[in-house]
Amino acid sequence: MKNMKGMYCIVTGAGKGIGKAIAKRFLAEEAAGVAILEWDLALAEATAKELDPTGEKVIAIKCNVADSDMVKAAVDATVAKFGRVDVLVNNAGVTRDRIFHKMTDDEWYTVININLNGMYNLCKFVVPIMREQESGAIVNISSTSLMGNPGQANYAATKAAMQGFTRTMAKELGRKNVRMNCIAPGYIDTEMMRAVGEEKFNAAVARHPMQRMADPDEIASLTAFLCTEDSSWVSGQTIFASGGAICM
């Protein structure tokens, strides 16, 4: 795979889990710079220091992606540091699982605002930059939950909406040489997944065709591919990275 030499990137929710793995992979692919956007600044700073002890290539920025003003400030800070944005990964997301008739307004809107409106906010400020450059790659991290899961009406709605957004934007941005794609991971061994408890975690593994969960690095490698010239003719796609689970 061709590397990402010279590319400047923004990855949301990159303090841990999939986002951190993506930032790490970008650096391994020789990205020129990565901005880690994270609500928990201490976590972002710790990750930035771990990935780049020199502090030259990775910057940590406190950002609630649901807050348009904070997102604008984060994008402005990234451009001030790097001069451009070549790659955007909308990875930040939360869950507030509950069966629908018991779901609260707060649980619904929290997930909508972070998972869906957060993606919109980042694109609102990054897309104009990429249009002007006439180049760029955007990857939205969705989920196989877009197919529907009991107790996840809020989460599934946001992850399904990413597909339609991705297809529409790919059509709008193609003439400007800006690509947008979507990845729908299955079960990933992250802190968020471990939080469901050992019994549910093991049950999920047991019913998976490959009898394991994915490592975040496996999603990071696919993300990197979608940001390089190796995928120059791939846009508007949702790629299911589920180890065969989506076939069941």
Side-chain angles (χ1 to χ4, degrees), residues 38 63 79 172:
E38 181 70 57
C63 184
V79 174
E172 291 187 8

Side-chain angles (χ1 to χ4, degrees), residues 19-47:
K20 180 179 178 179
I22 290 171
K24 182 178 179 180
R25 179 57 183 258
F26 284 178
L27 293 171
E29 293 291 333
E30 298 186 16
V34 179
I36 293 176
L37 274 56
E38 181 70 57
W39 172 245
D40 185 339
L41 181 58
L43 177 63
E45 290 176 335
T47 297

Side-chain angles (χ1 to χ4, degrees), residues 107-127:
E107 289 166 339
W108 175 265
Y109 286 112
T110 294
V111 173
I112 296 296
N113 286 334
I114 294 176
N115 296 11
L116 184 56
N117 293 341
M119 175 184 65
Y120 163 76
N121 286 333
L122 264 299
C123 288
K124 179 170 65 174
F125 296 111
V126 171
V127 164

